[in-house]
Amino acid sequence: MIRRTVVLFLAALLPLLAGAGQAQATGYRYWSFWERDGGAWTYATQGPSLARPSDGDVQGFRFSVSEDSADAAKPRGTADFAAICAGTPPRDGEKRVALVIDFGTPADAPAGETPPAGRTACARVSPDATTADALAAVAKPLRYDTSALLCAIAGYPERGCGEQVSGENAPAPGEKDTPNPSGSSDSSDSSDSPGSSDSSGSSDGGPSLGLVAGIAVVVLLGAAATWQVRRRG
């Protein structure tokens, strides 16, 4: 009888433990890097410090909380190269790269910070310049960690770099792609789970108290069932 009760209790408890585990799924708060292919954004296969765009390319950056590249939010806006670089005429010996910089939503922002309005910029750089070079030409100050992970564009965010965010604090799917406020355009003549070098503003990604308590109950009940069986034997 006791053995049957334990089995039934465990069957009822397991779904609760599974739900607790899902609630602890973590994401990362970071700048993702994108390339425009026609009218669609694709997640870049190289970092901005390695990618070398061609003249006429459109590349984008989006600050958000996501679990991986498949979950990452894309830059918002539909501006193409012609629109972004309309005020930046070509020059011999230089290339133009259009950049879309999306600072994300308030739901993605670190505590105490407000994302600036999105912007576009046309960087005019040397032919061998990387995307990181183009970004530095139009959106300083940039901030990197010791692993060369891009942490901040135009000073945003002020702190943190690829920190983990617990599932309880991650933005809901509908909060990721709210309409982007109209950003200003800029021009100039003149980087899958991110690492972290700064824990500021990060959330505790450890197991919840409910999950720990549930596991403890399972262990105790299992021990009690074993003891009953041995005593009867």
Side-chain angles (χ1 to χ4, degrees), residues 13 23 30 42 47-48 53 56 77 80-82 101 108 116 120 129 144 148 153-155 183 199 211 215-216:
L13 184 62
Y30 70 106
T42 58
D80 58 11
F81 177 82
I101 305 172
D108 290 317
T120 61
Y144 293 87
I153 297 177
S199 59
L211 179 58
I215 294 174

Coordinates of all heavy atoms in Angstrom, one line a residue, residues 13 23 30 42 47-48 53 56 77 80-82 101 108 116 120 129 144 148 153-155 183 199 211 215-216:
L13 N 4.1 14.4 -9.0 CA 5.1 15.5 -8.7 C 6.0 15.8 -9.9 O 6.4 16.9 -10.0 CB 5.9 15.0 -7.5 CG 7.0 16.0 -6.9 CD1 6.3 17.3 -6.5 CD2 7.8 15.4 -5.8
A23 N 11.1 26.9 -16.2 CA 11.1 28.3 -15.7 C 12.5 28.8 -15.5 O 12.7 30.0 -15.5 CB 10.3 28.4 -14.4
Y30 N 22.8 40.4 -25.1 CA 24.0 40.8 -25.9 C 23.6 41.4 -27.2 O 22.4 41.4 -27.6 CB 24.8 39.5 -26.1 CG 24.2 38.5 -27.1 CD1 24.7 38.3 -28.4 CD2 23.1 37.7 -26.7 CE1 24.1 37.4 -29.2 CE2 22.6 36.8 -27.5 CZ 23.1 36.6 -28.8 OH 22.5 35.7 -29.7
T42 N 20.0 37.7 -42.1 CA 20.5 36.4 -41.7 C 21.5 36.6 -40.7 O 22.3 37.6 -40.7 CB 21.1 35.7 -42.9 OG1 22.2 36.5 -43.5 CG2 20.1 35.4 -44.0
G47 N 32.2 36.9 -36.7 CA 32.0 38.1 -35.8 C 32.4 39.4 -36.6 O 33.0 39.3 -37.7
P48 N 32.0 40.5 -36.1 CA 32.2 41.8 -36.8 C 33.7 42.1 -37.0 O 34.0 42.9 -37.9 CB 31.5 42.8 -36.0 CG 31.3 42.2 -34.7 CD 31.2 40.7 -34.9
P53 N 32.9 43.3 -45.1 CA 31.8 43.6 -46.1 C 32.3 44.3 -47.4 O 33.4 44.9 -47.4 CB 30.9 44.5 -45.3 CG 31.8 45.2 -44.3 CD 32.8 44.2 -43.9
G56 N 28.5 48.5 -50.6 CA 27.0 48.3 -50.9 C 26.3 47.4 -50.0 O 25.1 47.2 -50.1
G77 N 13.3 47.6 -39.0 CA 13.4 48.7 -40.0 C 13.6 48.1 -41.4 O 14.1 46.9 -41.5
D80 N 17.1 50.4 -46.9 CA 18.1 49.6 -47.7 C 19.4 50.5 -47.9 O 19.5 51.6 -47.4 CB 17.6 49.2 -49.0 CG 17.0 50.4 -49.9 OD1 17.3 51.5 -49.5 OD2 16.3 50.1 -50.9
F81 N 20.3 50.0 -48.6 CA 21.6 50.7 -48.8 C 21.4 52.0 -49.5 O 22.0 53.1 -49.0 CB 22.6 49.8 -49.7 CG 23.9 50.5 -50.0 CD1 24.9 50.5 -49.0 CD2 24.1 51.2 -51.2 CE1 26.1 51.2 -49.3 CE2 25.2 51.9 -51.4 CZ 26.3 51.8 -50.5
A82 N 20.5 52.1 -50.5 CA 20.3 53.3 -51.2 C 19.8 54.4 -50.3 O 20.2 55.6 -50.4 CB 19.4 53.1 -52.4
I101 N 21.4 49.9 -36.6 CA 21.7 49.7 -35.2 C 20.5 49.8 -34.4 O 19.9 50.8 -34.3 CB 22.8 50.7 -34.7 CG1 24.0 50.7 -35.6 CG2 23.1 50.4 -33.2 CD1 25.0 51.8 -35.3
D108 N 14.3 44.4 -22.9 CA 15.6 43.8 -23.0 C 16.7 44.5 -22.3 O 17.8 44.0 -22.1 CB 16.0 43.7 -24.5 CG 15.2 42.7 -25.3 OD1 15.0 41.6 -24.8 OD2 14.8 43.1 -26.4
P116 N 18.4 53.7 -26.4 CA 18.3 54.8 -27.3 C 17.4 54.4 -28.5 O 17.2 53.3 -28.8 CB 19.7 55.1 -27.7 CG 20.6 54.4 -26.7 CD 19.8 53.2 -26.3
T120 N 20.3 54.4 -38.2 CA 21.1 53.9 -39.4 C 22.3 54.8 -39.6 O 22.3 56.0 -39.3 CB 20.2 53.8 -40.7 OG1 19.8 55.1 -41.0 CG2 19.0 52.9 -40.4
A129 N 38.6 47.2 -44.7 CA 38.0 47.4 -43.4 C 37.0 46.3 -43.0 O 36.3 45.7 -43.9 CB 37.3 48.7 -43.3
Y144 N 34.4 46.4 -25.6 CA 34.6 45.0 -25.8 C 35.1 44.4 -24.5 O 35.6 45.1 -23.7 CB 35.6 44.7 -26.9 CG 35.2 45.1 -28.3 CD1 35.4 46.4 -28.8 CD2 34.7 44.2 -29.2 CE1 35.1 46.8 -30.1 CE2 34.3 44.6 -30.5 CZ 34.5 45.8 -30.9 OH 34.1 46.2 -32.2
A148 N 37.1 39.8 -26.7 CA 36.7 40.6 -27.9 C 35.3 40.5 -28.3 O 34.9 40.7 -29.4 CB 37.6 40.1 -29.1
I153 N 27.5 49.5 -28.0 CA 27.6 50.3 -29.2 C 27.1 51.7 -28.8 O 26.0 51.8 -28.2 CB 26.8 49.7 -30.3 CG1 27.3 48.4 -30.7 CG2 26.7 50.7 -31.5 CD1 26.5 47.7 -31.8
A154 N 27.8 52.7 -29.2 CA 27.5 54.1 -28.8 C 27.3 54.2 -27.3 O 26.4 54.9 -26.8 CB 26.2 54.5 -29.6
G155 N 28.0 53.4 -26.5 CA 28.0 53.5 -25.1 C 26.8 52.8 -24.4 O 26.6 52.9 -23.2
G183 N 14.6 56.2 -36.2 CA 15.9 56.6 -35.8 C 16.5 57.6 -36.7 O 16.0 57.9 -37.8
S199 N 29.7 40.8 -14.5 CA 28.5 40.2 -14.0 C 27.5 41.3 -13.6 O 26.5 41.0 -13.0 CB 28.8 39.3 -12.8 OG 29.5 40.0 -11.8
L211 N 12.2 24.0 -7.0 CA 12.8 22.9 -7.6 C 13.7 22.1 -6.7 O 13.6 20.8 -6.6 CB 13.7 23.3 -8.8 CG 14.4 22.2 -9.6 CD1 13.5 21.2 -10.2 CD2 15.3 22.9 -10.7
I215 N 13.0 18.1 -5.4 CA 14.0 17.1 -5.6 C 14.2 16.4 -4.2 O 14.3 15.2 -4.1 CB 15.3 17.6 -6.1 CG1 15.1 18.1 -7.6 CG2 16.4 16.6 -6.0 CD1 16.3 18.8 -8.2
A216 N 14.3 17.2 -3.1 CA 14.5 16.7 -1.8 C 13.3 15.8 -1.4 O 13.5 14.7 -0.8 CB 14.6 17.8 -0.8

